Amino acid sequence: MQAINVSSGFKTSGVVLPHQQIFHVHQTERKRIHLPVALFLISLVVPWVIYFGPLRMSVYRFFLLAMFLPCMAMWLGGKAGRVRTSDLALLLYSFWAALSLAIIHGFEATSQSSGIIFIETLGPYLVARCYIRDADDFYNAFSLLFRIVVLLLPFGVVELLSGVNISRELFAAILPTFTDAMPPRMGLTRVQSVFDHPILFGVITGSILAPVHLVLGCNRDLFQRLLMTGVVAGTSMLSVSSGPLTALIAQAFLLCWNGLFGAIRSRWKILIAILAVSSLVIELTANRSLLDIVVGYFLFDPGSYWYRKLIWTYGTESALNHPLFGTGLNPWERPQWMTPSIDNFWLFHAVRYGLPAGILMPLAFFSVYLAVCFKKGLDAREDECRTAFLITMTGFFLVAWTVHFWDAAYVMLTFFMGSGVWMLDVTPNKTYGWEEHGA
């Protein structure tokens, strides 16, 4: 068996899964997290709300506004690697969304909204593209996110049991914060912590499950790895929301599959084949659809599934009735008793900005996802980063069918999309301070 020396922050010790190589880590000069990445991630958990007339600003919006032009200049100058399909798709999406609003409502009335679209769509993505350029950067970003989740956990437990949001009250003592609270579920407070909604809390904290297990947990003993993974899962579950729970279950299943069958090169092809055949058998033999069965087991409120089906039905009709520029900020076409919320991230863009926007956002997502999936020439550590990234993005993709991402969750998604593009620029057999030795 080979042993590899790695100049990184990974710790050694303990149990190593059978399919993994053993990494002997010699800590030399550890690469530190880039300041823009650190400031961005920290800004996401500062819930201050500052108004400039009708414009609502947050700390992360101020940061992204300040970094937008410098990151754009780095990207245009080639310092973030080659121009990728996802770069152009998000850029075109932002232009099209702004154009749609301007045509429907006028440029002057929507200039602020259009600016926010550019800042929140391209800003986080470009920060990741420019400052997450190798496996060390990837590790450092998720290491900080894990520390943030650990910090939020005790405050979340108190909020769950008592209904008192201590973390938000501490921030509110200095500047105003978002104050709306959700009704309890199953007698428990739905934790929203420093975010605007429990769904945002659950999605953001749970999204790092795979990177924590595979990247941060690498070369730790089994107890440490499971403890770290459990902290992430437990924190996300405090939201008492079915959407984040779906993402957690999907990530956990994929992690288990990868752990059990890691020695099989075709394990993912086998899994896809099994899922496809199983789905076909269930659809042909069961008296309920596969989706209905899954919903019955995993949703806290199965009635919400039927409501989401209505959203899909009327939402697609609205998008087809306004195919080019969507409805803009006007109400979308639905029965009066339905709320204006579109609990489907993939559908939202087509309804509000037209079918071109509804195509460009998935194109940006899958152009990164598939390119990383089929990338060759990654070493063992980079391959673990790749697996973690793909599992995380799979969780995002699934939960996006049941919720809409806005504010912190939306910028986190585009940041994560950008955080995996560095793998496409890896030169085969290139190492980041790694020395290979025979054992």
Side-chain angles (χ1 to χ4, degrees), residues 310-328 330-334 342 347-348 350-352 354-355:
L310 291 175
I311 290 175
W312 176 258
T313 299
Y314 289 107
T316 52
E317 289 182 2
S318 179
L320 293 175
N321 290 336
H322 307 275
L324 200 55
F325 300 114
T327 61
N330 296 321
W332 57 286
E333 297 164 358
R334 66 191 190 280
I342 302 177
L347 178 63
F348 171 86
V351 172
R352 174 160 288 189
L355 295 180

Side-chain angles (χ1 to χ4, degrees), residues 396-412:
F396 266 113
F397 173 76
L398 293 175
V399 75
W401 290 99
T402 64
V403 301
H404 175 55
F405 299 139
W406 74 100
D407 286 351
Y410 179 65
V411 299
M412 181 69 86

Side-chain angles (χ1 to χ4, degrees), residues 58 116 220 271 278 300 305 329 334 376 424:
S58 58
I116 292 299
R220 299 178 186 268
L271 177 60
S278 300
F300 290 110
Y305 163 65
L329 302 178
R334 66 191 190 280
K376 298 184 182 298
L424 306 180

Side-chain angles (χ1 to χ4, degrees), residues 3-13 22-31 136 219 381 432-437:
I4 300 178
N5 295 337
V6 187
S7 298
S8 75
F10 285 20
K11 294 182 179 179
T12 56
S13 74
I22 298 177
F23 299 101
H24 295 297
V25 183
H26 297 283
Q27 185 143 354
T28 55
E29 183 180 353
R30 178 175 177 179
K31 185 177 182 180
D136 282 335
N219 297 304
R381 185 185 181 201
Y432 295 94
W434 293 39
E435 297 176 1
E436 188 171 339
H437 302 275

Side-chain angles (χ1 to χ4, degrees), residues 39-332:
L39 292 178
F40 168 69
L41 296 178
I42 293 172
S43 71
L44 291 177
V45 294
V46 179
W48 291 330
V49 178
I50 303 169
Y51 283 92
F52 292 93
L55 182 61
R56 181 176 71 91
M57 292 294 288
S58 58
V59 175
Y60 76 77
R61 283 182 175 177
F62 279 116
F63 172 79
L64 293 175
L65 181 62
M67 291 298 301
F68 188 81
L69 290 180
C71 287
M72 182 66 74
M74 291 178 65
W75 174 66
L76 291 174
K79 295 182 179 180
R82 286 176 46 196
V83 174
R84 299 289 176 178
T85 302
S86 55
D87 304 350
L88 299 178
L90 286 181
L91 184 62
L92 289 173
Y93 165 85
S94 301
F95 272 116
W96 191 266
L99 177 64
S100 299
L101 293 178
I103 288 176
I104 295 174
H105 304 286
F107 175 78
E108 184 175 352
T110 59
S111 58
Q112 294 177 346
S113 298
S114 299
I116 292 299
I117 290 173
F118 273 92
I119 294 300
E120 290 195 338
T121 302
L122 284 172
Y125 176 81
L126 289 176
V127 168
R129 286 280 278 115
C130 294
Y131 293 102
I132 299 182
R133 301 301 306 151
D134 57 36
D136 282 335
D137 293 334
F138 192 82
Y139 176 94
N140 289 335
F142 285 99
S143 179
L144 177 57
L145 279 170
F146 177 68
R147 288 180 171 87
I148 290 173
V149 169
V150 171
L151 181 63
L152 294 177
L153 175 58
F155 295 103
V157 172
V158 172
E159 184 179 354
L160 178 78
L161 300 177
S162 68
V164 179
N165 191 337
I166 297 176
S167 55
R168 185 173 294 276
E169 290 182 357
L170 291 174
F171 282 106
I174 302 174
L175 287 174
T177 65
F178 186 85
T179 56
D180 285 356
M182 296 293 294
R185 177 174 283 170
M186 300 186 299
L188 298 172
T189 301
R190 298 181 64 190
V191 174
Q192 64 187 66
S193 186
V194 294
F195 303 103
D196 294 349
H197 195 282
I199 288 177
L200 302 188
F201 174 80
V203 168
I204 292 172
T205 56
S207 63
I208 65 171
L209 186 76
V212 166
H213 186 81
L214 292 175
V215 180
L216 272 62
C218 184
N219 297 304
R220 299 178 186 268
D221 62 49
L222 184 61
F223 174 78
Q224 287 179 310
R225 173 177 283 203
L226 293 179
L227 177 62
M228 294 169 66
T229 309
V231 166
V232 173
T235 304
S236 179
M237 292 175 67
L238 296 179
S239 66
V240 197
S241 298
S242 55
L245 178 61
T246 300
L248 282 176
I249 292 173
Q251 289 185 79
F253 172 77
L254 294 174
L255 286 171
C256 290
W257 181 271
N258 183 64
L260 291 172
F261 303 105
I264 303 175
R265 291 177 61 92
S266 300
R267 62 190 180 279
W268 299 116
K269 295 178 181 178
I270 295 172
L271 177 60
I272 292 172
I274 291 175
L275 292 177
V277 171
S278 300
S279 300
L280 181 61
V281 170
I282 292 174
E283 290 287 350
L284 292 176
T285 59
N287 56 6
R288 293 188 297 165
S289 70
L290 175 64
L291 188 57
D292 291 343
I293 294 173
V294 172
V295 167
Y297 280 105
F298 295 121
L299 283 186
F300 290 110
D301 180 14
S304 66
Y305 163 65
W306 301 108
Y307 188 79
R308 283 173 169 81
K309 287 187 70 172
L310 291 175
I311 290 175
W312 176 258
T313 299
Y314 289 107
T316 52
E317 289 182 2
S318 179
L320 293 175
N321 290 336
H322 307 275
L324 200 55
F325 300 114
T327 61
L329 302 178
N330 296 321
W332 57 286

